[in-house]
Amino acid sequence: MPDTIKRAPVSQQPFKVEKPQDLNTIGGMISIEINEKKVSVPLGTTIYEACKENQIHIPTLCHHPDLCIAGVCRVCVVEVEGMRTLQASCSFPITASIKIKTTSELVRKARRNIIDLLLSEHHGECYACVKNKNCELQTLAQEYGVDKMRYGHISAPIHEVDNSSTSVIRDMNKCILCRRCVRTCIDLQEVGVLEAISRGDKTVIGTFYDKSLQDVICINCGQCINRCPTGALYSNDPSDEIWQAIDDPTKHVVIQTAPSPRAAIGEEFGQPPGKSFTPELNTALKRIGFDRVFDTNFTADLTIHEEGTELLHRLKKALVDKDESVKLPQFTSCSPGWIKFIEHFYPEYLDYLSTAKSPQQMFGAIIKTFYAQEEGIDPKDIVSVSLMPCSAKKFECNRPEMNSSGFKDVDYGLTTRELGKMIREAGINLPELPKTGFDEPFGEASGAGLIFGATGGVMEAALRTVYELVTGREVPFENLRIEVCRGFEGIKEASVKLENVLPDYSFLEGVEVKFMVAHGTANAKQVMELLKAGKLSDVHFIEIMACPGGCLGGGGQPIPTSEEIRKQRAKAIYAEEEGLPIRKSHENPHVKFIYEKFIPEGPCSELSHKLLHTHYTKRGRYII
Amino acid sequence: MEAKINKTHREGAVLFSPYDAGSSIKKALEVGRENILFEVRESKIKGRGGAGFPTATKWMLVAAAKADKKYIVCNADEGEPGTFKDRVLLTEYPDLVFDGMVVAGYTIGAEIGILYLRGEYIFMLEQLEDYLISMRQNNLLGKNILGKEGFNFDISIRLGSGAYVCGEETALIESLEGHRGEPRNRPPYPVNTGYMGYPTVVNNVETLASISKIITKGADWFKTHGTEKSTGSKLFSVSGDCKKPGVYELPWGTTLNELIKIVDAENTKAIQVGGASGVCIPKSQFDRQLSYEDASTGGSIMIFNESRKMLHVLKNFMDFFVEESCGQCTPCRIGNVKLLECVERIEKGEYTFSYINSMKDLSRTMQVASKCGLGQSSPNPFLSILENFKDEIFRSKENGVSHA
Ligand SMILES: Cc1cc2nc3c(=O)[nH]c(=O)nc-3n(C[C@H](O)[C@H](O)[C@H](O)COP(=O)(O)O)c2cc1C
Ligand code: SF4
């Protein structure tokens, strides 16, 4: 098997048209006619884009801004004068002065027929579907005035729902074969679990040997869910169990909330992307009935202590002890999708991972140990919920090794979408709520923990702390903004030089600390291939997040998603962080308190290893 | 069956006429690229694979393209139901086919030719490979072919796996690249972005074989056969209700009436021209000509006599498309299922005419909105059989009988 998974079968790169640098040169712009109106567009623009520019909405199903074009659903067809057949506007590049009709009878009939055909095979009971009111097929049917099932309607489901996975559920009865999930899994994430199998009327999206999702190399990132136009893919929702726990007076139900859901949950309530609702969310959670609401950023700060200390240990061993068995670069371990990815695809490199648990799991362990002790609650009566942007967190909290207290560290991983539903169910309109803070004893967290939500955030947080720890000075960046860590470039690379270090760290004097940041497992794969080829020997620390954009683009976040939306969420996170009083993990007084009171030996000590660190499993690519 | 095909009387003016192996390559290298292109254009030859695209235009586009590599692919998938003429060419006239590929390679500037062979034709693989070895020994393949400095060209053979849609040129290329055989969006066309992203000519076996003849004997000679717009002759694979089925070389322009005489068919009711995706022509129109401008075909001719039930014939075709659709695009994947359902309902007498009309409307959508030629042409038999045999098919309903 080749190392790089090839592109998804239907994926096509846009037609390569050599565009002139300067659009004003002759041939740079092409004048065309759309519905008899003359307009001018840059050479190589697709018909779909050209229409969009000119305020004409063309319906699409298989098209997605994050994915290669496929041109399979055919609802975006338009008439191009002189061509025998209609053309898929999503894939048709404009290279000549064409005349386009977007609403001729032929086009209208074709679109309507295609929608009717899709509906005839779509076994979805809209009112009982997770995607009700957020389904692209439903919307299309409504926009195009579908008034009857002209080509019949499938009366009963014919596919078994695959709910084997802790994270992703597949109901192929609702699948319309747009192949967005296949393109997501193969092209965007380069995992390659989902693929079209069989042909003709037997075509289905399936897995290797049609195994259930838990038995294949799915990394649970849920990116496919985020791009499914219907309700064929959704996350494994624990909200019923959580409601039950809340209703049970013998249970002490706590919830920790991660930064990304807070920057996106507004979208579940009709708000435009780009606004955080942290304090309103705290109120909502209290009203729903959670006994305590904690901030995952607190354990993000803790993670920085543990992971940063681990890095310094590794550096010392490598530079001072000349220990050749030390593995560098050290990789971050906060993203459970990334962890499963490396366990499957690069199992021989697990020693490069930081052993620190993710913030979710650290919090889980602390709640059922120190918090339980402090509050005098039996850990067996604590139900620990985490609000995450992530479907893989569900898998992570079910890992058998994640039970430091003897009980599951975290009982339920809840996604942004699922919580949105719970809040609506509770009759609450989130944006209009009053504001509340987080509960003690973990009330405060630093801004460094907050920015974990965006790609590059862990690196930025770690640098702020490690640099200061080693030199005694703040990182030399204006307003603590380490811009090289920010932004959505696939792989970022930079370095900081350590000079005039404190005596304890004299071995680091003059060392140029090199680091990298990658998001999306396709980029992670590129980094791993560099590592394999021995080209990362001078790099010390690498942050990897499985999802495009980092956690804010996670598989549990509101749908739809696009780079534009993810950028807005990132903005919300960075804006929120600059308003916080504490912006460095090591300055978080509650973290200091935890160490002083419960882990006096400090980060990476024996007790901290027992509670806050973990180990990984060599899984390999073939599950037998 | 094979014996029968090979015994069938086959004399032909163009392809089935004497040819010296290697002669077209020799001639081509003498006259040079421009003259070959000129000759091919003058001959007005159009593709023999079914779509009928002018071969010269295709070649010129690739010849003019700037690219590091170019490819010539010979489409020997021969999947259209009722076609078996490429099989005869490959087993008995490999010299014509392979020489044609070398000429194409030389003209467009390719160094590699690929023969995409239908999986079921694996039986001829060894023989073809042996033939390629002998070509290499005679320096008709390899480096500096026939002493032409810098002209290097070789041919490899790749096997398909039995999907009809892999005969569609972009699906064929996908399959060659190791993907599911699914057609691509066009544009870009293979002449621009083909195999491995390089400019690629895909030609049918018969097209390339004809090229060998055009090069050796000239465009003017070629044009003495056929009609004004359909030049040369064509191989027809004739099957069905006739005494002499087989492969025939006949000039374009031959009428269906003439054809049934040649193959000795009696009581003929209908002729399906162009395979499953072609059209069904009733007796009243047997004066029509086989040509690109009238009844066009990649070679498949199926003859049905009075004993055949046309609805049954249609059902067979629709069954075929339901299964052979690649399944990627909506109109074809689901549309064909609906058309088949319609045929079944007609069979049972469970239909209204408004329902039939809505199915015709759906057919029109499939023709214009499907992604590739398969879905665009699969409604052809549906529409032509329901139209041309409506008396036979719908008679039963009017009589109140529930069987067609
Ligand atoms: C569904 C489908 C099946 C096809 N099968 C074949 C085939 O078996 N052989 C062939 O030569 N062309 C086939 N074609 C036509 C090819 O796409 C292409 O037009 C042809 O190979 C070009 O060669 P030509 O120009 O020499 O005819 C098929 C087209 C479609 C849409
Ligand atoms: S028309 Fe049919 S065979 Fe062609 S791409 Fe669409 S589904 Fe596949």
Side-chain angles (χ1 to χ4, degrees):
Chain A
M1 184 166 159
D3 260 309
T4 322
I5 293 183
K6 302 216 277 175
R7 69 179 162 84
V10 294
S11 295
Q12 243 173 282
Q13 292 296 332
F15 184 23
K16 277 189 240 81
V17 183
E18 271 181 44
K19 294 185 193 179
Q21 290 279 328
D22 178 4
L23 288 176
N24 295 322
T25 56
I26 297 170
M29 297 293 284
I30 295 200
S31 54
I32 56 167
E33 264 181 38
I34 306 178
N35 300 336
E36 295 181 0
K37 183 176 159 246
K38 278 205 166 60
V39 297
S40 167
V41 297
L43 176 76
T45 313
T46 63
I47 294 181
Y48 171 78
E49 291 160 349
C51 290
K52 199 170 165 190
E53 277 295 299
N54 289 281
Q55 300 82 44
I56 294 170
H57 168 67
I58 306 254
T60 53
L61 277 174
C62 68
H63 184 69
H64 191 282
D66 287 333
L67 303 174
C68 287
I69 53 170
V72 298
C73 74
R74 316 303 288 175
V75 296
C76 73
V77 287
V78 296
E79 214 174 318
V80 175
E81 197 178 278
M83 297 196 81
R84 191 175 49 86
T85 55
L86 301 178
Q87 302 298 316
S89 60
C90 68
S91 66
F92 194 102
I94 297 171
T95 54
S97 278
I98 51 174
K99 293 182 179 166
I100 303 160
K101 288 201 182 109
T102 65
T103 50
S104 64
E105 189 190 359
L106 196 61
V107 171
R108 288 197 319 271
K109 269 196 171 162
R111 282 195 195 145
R112 189 49 213 283
N113 275 330
I114 290 167
I115 296 167
D116 283 338
L117 285 176
L118 287 170
L119 289 174
S120 78
E121 296 212 325
H122 172 77
H123 186 265
E125 289 156 334
C126 292
Y127 40 83
C129 179
V130 282
K131 289 294 282 295
N132 193 14
K133 293 176 83 182
N134 190 16
C135 167
E136 295 178 45
L137 183 63
Q138 192 185 43
T139 309
L140 263 191
Q142 195 255 337
E143 277 174 11
Y144 282 80
V146 171
D147 48 5
K148 60 172 185 264
M149 297 291 186
R150 246 186 321 158
Y151 301 125
H153 189 235
I154 186 165
S155 57
I158 51 173
H159 300 285
E160 204 68 62
V161 175
D162 177 5
N163 50 16
S164 64
S165 159
T166 49
S167 302
V168 183
I169 298 185
R170 296 174 64 238
D171 179 358
M172 289 304 101
N173 298 297
K174 293 177 183 168
C175 173
I176 55 166
L177 292 167
C178 68
R179 310 235 191 144
R180 281 190 193 170
C181 58
V182 176
R183 282 175 285 151
T184 302
C185 197
I186 298 182
D187 299 338
L188 189 74
Q189 291 292 68
E190 293 192 20
V191 174
V193 160
L194 300 174
E195 176 59 294
I197 46 183
S198 299
R199 66 166 188 240
D201 62 330
K202 310 261 180 338
T203 311
V204 282
I205 306 303
T207 56
F208 182 62
Y209 273 107
D210 221 9
K211 292 184 185 192
S212 60
L213 216 48
Q214 70 168 352
D215 294 326
V216 292
I217 54 173
C218 170
I219 63 165
N220 305 309
C221 68
Q223 290 301 309
C224 53
I225 301 178
N226 286 1
R227 289 171 184 79
C228 177
T230 70
L233 290 162
Y234 52 97
S235 50
N236 203 338
D237 182 358
S239 54
D240 281 345
E241 286 92 333
I242 295 172
W243 278 122
Q244 265 176 30
I246 289 173
D247 292 342
D248 184 344
T250 66
K251 298 291 179 200
H252 181 75
V253 189
V254 303
I255 186 166
Q256 51 166 313
T257 72
S260 297
R262 307 186 318 229
I265 195 156
E267 295 164 42
E268 286 288 311
F269 295 86
Q271 299 287 315
K275 189 164 184 297
S276 269
F277 283 91
T278 309
E280 291 85 352
L281 185 63
N282 290 342
T283 313
L285 291 168
K286 284 314 235 321
R287 289 199 184 171
I288 283 179
F290 286 98
D291 294 304
R292 294 284 186 281
V293 182
F294 299 135
D295 186 351
T296 308
N297 298 350
F298 168 78
T299 35
D301 286 336
L302 207 57
T303 302
I304 291 299
H305 282 77
E306 295 295 332
E307 216 166 86
T309 307
E310 184 182 359
L311 178 65
L312 289 172
H313 283 178
R314 288 195 197 206
L315 287 172
K316 181 154 189 238
K317 274 194 199 150
L319 298 173
V320 180
D321 310 342
K322 305 279 177 228
D323 181 348
E324 302 211 331
S325 69
V326 168
K327 299 287 189 274
L328 280 171
Q330 174 177 308
F331 285 82
T332 59
S333 56
C334 315
S335 163
W338 152 239
I339 296 299
K340 193 139 184 280
F341 181 84
I342 187 173
E343 286 177 337
H344 282 306
F345 289 88
Y346 299 94
E348 63 278 29
Y349 291 93
L350 295 180
D351 291 344
Y352 288 78
L353 284 173
S354 161
T355 56
K357 282 182 182 173
S358 69
Q360 161 178 287
Q361 293 306 127
M362 283 196 187
F363 221 140
I366 287 186
I367 285 169
K368 290 201 181 171
T369 54
F370 305 142
Y371 172 78
Q373 197 181 317
E374 240 353 51
E375 301 281 311
I377 307 173
D378 187 339
K380 84 171 181 357
D381 291 329
I382 298 181
V383 175
S384 179
V385 180
S386 65
L387 169 64
M388 292 288 146
C390 179
S391 48
K393 287 282 169 196
K394 295 169 187 285
F395 177 83
E396 184 184 39
C397 78
N398 282 305
R399 280 178 174 254
E401 64 273 20
M402 297 289 185
N403 61 348
S404 302
S405 63
F407 301 95
K408 273 175 80 177
D409 289 345
V410 171
D411 294 287
Y412 302 112
L414 187 68
T415 65
T416 317
R417 292 190 299 269
E418 291 155 357
L419 179 65
K421 190 198 73 183
M422 286 180 77
I423 296 176
R424 282 192 296 272
E425 227 178 326
I428 296 169
N429 185 19
L430 180 80
E432 64 190 29
L433 288 187
K435 302 176 184 207
T436 319
F438 287 103
D439 285 320
E440 295 299 332
F442 312 109
E444 243 162 314
S446 79
L450 185 82
I451 57 173
F452 265 53
T455 169
V458 179
M459 185 58 66
E460 185 166 346
L463 288 175
R464 286 181 191 173
T465 290
V466 171
Y467 189 90
E468 197 164 328
L469 225 60
V470 172
T471 65
R473 302 182 304 275
E474 255 187 10
V475 278
F477 297 97
E478 192 198 331
N479 205 9
L480 298 177
R481 274 186 221 131
I482 310 183
E483 290 291 347
V484 287
C485 293
R486 302 186 180 189
F488 285 169
E489 205 184 314
I491 298 174
K492 289 168 283 200
E493 207 178 328
S495 61
V496 274
K497 197 160 188 178
L498 300 173
E499 280 166 325
N500 302 326
V501 300
L502 295 175
D504 277 357
Y505 296 101
S506 56
F507 65 96
L508 289 173
E509 181 61 44
V511 169
E512 179 115 10
V513 178
K514 266 190 99 172
F515 55 90
M516 291 170 92
V517 172
H519 60 121
T521 42
N523 292 319
K525 180 178 268 179
Q526 278 191 38
V527 171
M528 291 312 290
E529 289 303 316
L530 289 174
L531 179 66
K532 242 180 162 172
K535 292 188 181 145
L536 298 184
S537 52
D538 59 341
V539 180
H540 302 105
F541 195 24
I542 302 183
E543 175 202 305
I544 296 198
M545 293 290 158
C547 294
C551 304
L552 52 84
Q557 290 284 67
I559 298 170
T561 186
S562 69
E563 178 145 318
E564 204 30 59
I565 292 174
R566 295 192 291 273
K567 275 188 181 147
Q568 293 303 323
R569 292 177 188 159
K571 248 195 208 158
I573 287 179
Y574 286 118
E576 190 180 347
E577 107 99 357
E578 297 216 348
L580 290 180
I582 302 172
R583 295 181 57 207
K584 297 173 225 160
S585 298
H586 55 279
E587 289 179 356
N588 182 334
H590 299 266
V591 170
K592 285 188 191 153
F593 172 77
I594 283 274
Y595 278 117
E596 276 160 21
K597 177 127 192 229
F598 296 107
I599 318 178
E601 252 98 273
C604 294
S605 62
E606 200 186 322
L607 183 59
S608 120
H609 261 283
K610 187 166 168 275
L611 292 177
L612 307 179
H613 289 252
T614 185
H615 56 269
Y616 306 105
T617 310
K618 280 191 177 167
R619 294 178 199 270
R621 288 188 196 181
Y622 304 96
I623 304 177
I624 304 157
Chain B
M1 276 314 285
E2 195 184 339
K4 196 170 185 183
I5 290 163
N6 288 332
K7 257 192 258 160
T8 307
H9 172 75
R10 281 195 327 274
E11 263 168 16
V14 180
L15 288 168
F16 294 160
S17 67
Y19 173 76
D20 287 335
S23 56
S24 66
I25 303 179
K26 207 165 149 224
K27 178 86 179 287
L29 296 177
E30 274 166 29
V31 301
R33 294 193 170 87
E34 276 72 30
N35 287 321
I36 304 171
L37 282 173
F38 179 79
E39 210 63 27
V40 175
R41 198 182 70 202
E42 278 300 295
S43 77
K44 293 191 187 160
I45 182 172
K46 292 184 189 162
R48 270 28 180 174
F53 191 80
T55 307
T57 311
K58 204 182 265 188
W59 285 24
M60 279 181 208
L61 286 167
V62 176
K66 288 194 194 81
D68 305 341
K69 286 182 195 169
K70 295 173 185 178
Y71 293 95
I72 161 82
V73 175
C74 174
N75 186 344
D77 195 51
E78 193 155 62
E80 188 64 51
T83 324
F84 38 91
K85 43 116 190 159
D86 292 344
R87 162 190 179 130
V88 172
L89 282 174
L90 288 166
T91 47
E92 295 181 36
Y93 302 85
D95 47 354
L96 280 182
V97 180
F98 289 132
D99 288 2
M101 281 179 82
V102 179
V103 171
Y106 173 63
T107 313
I108 63 170
E111 295 204 338
I112 294 173
I114 302 170
L115 179 84
Y116 187 88
L117 187 65
R118 178 188 166 98
E120 291 85 339
Y121 287 173
I122 189 168
F123 70 87
M124 56 174 92
L125 184 62
E126 199 180 315
Q127 191 189 331
L128 291 173
E129 292 283 12
D130 285 346
Y131 189 80
L132 289 177
I133 290 171
S134 76
M135 280 180 80
R136 284 180 200 117
Q137 282 161 355
N138 296 326
N139 194 217
L140 293 170
L141 287 177
K143 293 243 174 328
N144 303 323
I145 291 172
L146 294 182
K148 182 85 181 174
E149 209 44 54
F151 176 45
N152 309 324
F153 186 80
D154 211 329
I155 295 174
S156 64
I157 303 179
R158 304 274 291 274
L159 280 173
S161 320
Y164 166 60
V165 74
C166 284
E168 196 281 340
E169 56 188 7
T170 59
L172 185 155
I173 291 171
E174 285 282 300
S175 154
L176 280 178
E177 290 182 6
H179 291 117
R180 266 169 77 84
E182 291 180 325
R184 297 174 175 175
N185 295 296
R186 335 133 147 267
Y189 298 90
V191 290
N192 176 295
T193 309
Y195 179 57
M196 296 299 182
Y198 294 105
T200 303
V201 165
V202 181
N203 271 141
N204 174 253
V205 173
E206 187 186 344
T207 312
L208 290 165
S210 307
I211 292 289
S212 286
K213 284 296 171 80
I214 293 171
I215 297 303
T216 45
K217 297 211 166 169
D220 288 337
W221 168 84
F222 186 77
K223 280 190 289 190
T224 58
H225 308 275
T227 71
E228 169 77 24
K229 286 187 179 151
S230 309
T231 54
S233 65
K234 178 80 188 85
L235 300 186
F236 296 101
S237 316
V238 185
S239 62
D241 298 320
C242 64
K243 295 217 179 77
K244 293 190 209 151
V247 175
Y248 291 84
E249 177 172 7
L250 299 170
W252 281 118
T254 305
T255 64
L256 292 173
N257 272 324
E258 286 163 350
L259 182 90
I260 39 185
K261 277 205 201 90
I262 296 170
V263 302
D264 216 347
E266 284 167 7
N267 296 326
T268 306
K269 171 160 89 175
I271 302 181
Q272 177 79 13
V273 178
S277 57
V279 291
C280 195
I281 297 179
K283 198 173 179 172
S284 59
Q285 298 174 18
F286 282 180
D287 55 347
R288 286 175 65 177
Q289 285 186 344
L290 291 163
S291 65
Y292 292 107
E293 57 274 28
D294 189 357
S296 178
T297 172
S300 171
I301 304 279
M302 293 183 226
I303 301 182
F304 300 104
N305 69 18
E306 295 292 349
S307 73
R308 306 288 166 181
K309 284 196 175 129
M310 293 319 288
L311 199 61
H312 188 73
V313 169
L314 174 57
K315 192 173 160 187
N316 262 331
F317 289 150
M318 295 325 295
D319 253 334
F320 174 79
F321 289 124
V322 165
E323 188 155 317
E324 293 296 337
S325 156
C326 80
Q328 67 167 313
C329 79
T330 316
C332 170
R333 179 184 69 245
I334 314 181
N336 280 312
V337 174
K338 301 296 165 193
L339 297 190
L340 174 63
E341 240 170 61
C342 175
V343 175
E344 285 165 351
R345 283 174 64 173
I346 299 175
E347 245 179 357
K348 293 191 208 135
E350 294 168 359
Y351 62 90
T352 58
F353 284 102
S354 68
Y355 166 68
I356 302 287
N357 284 337
S358 79
M359 288 298 147
K360 287 184 180 165
D361 184 54
L362 172 62
S363 299
R364 181 79 191 118
T365 288
M366 291 166 66
Q367 285 177 326
V368 292
S370 293
K371 185 164 173 178
C372 86
L374 193 153
Q376 289 162 8
S377 60
S378 67
N380 290 349
F382 181 85
L383 291 172
S384 63
I385 290 180
L386 290 194
E387 177 58 29
N388 293 330
F389 301 92
K390 52 176 174 263
D391 292 346
E392 172 189 330
I393 291 170
F394 298 115
R395 182 186 50 207
S396 44
K397 171 98 173 177
E398 276 150 26
N399 295 344
V401 184
S402 66
H403 296 284

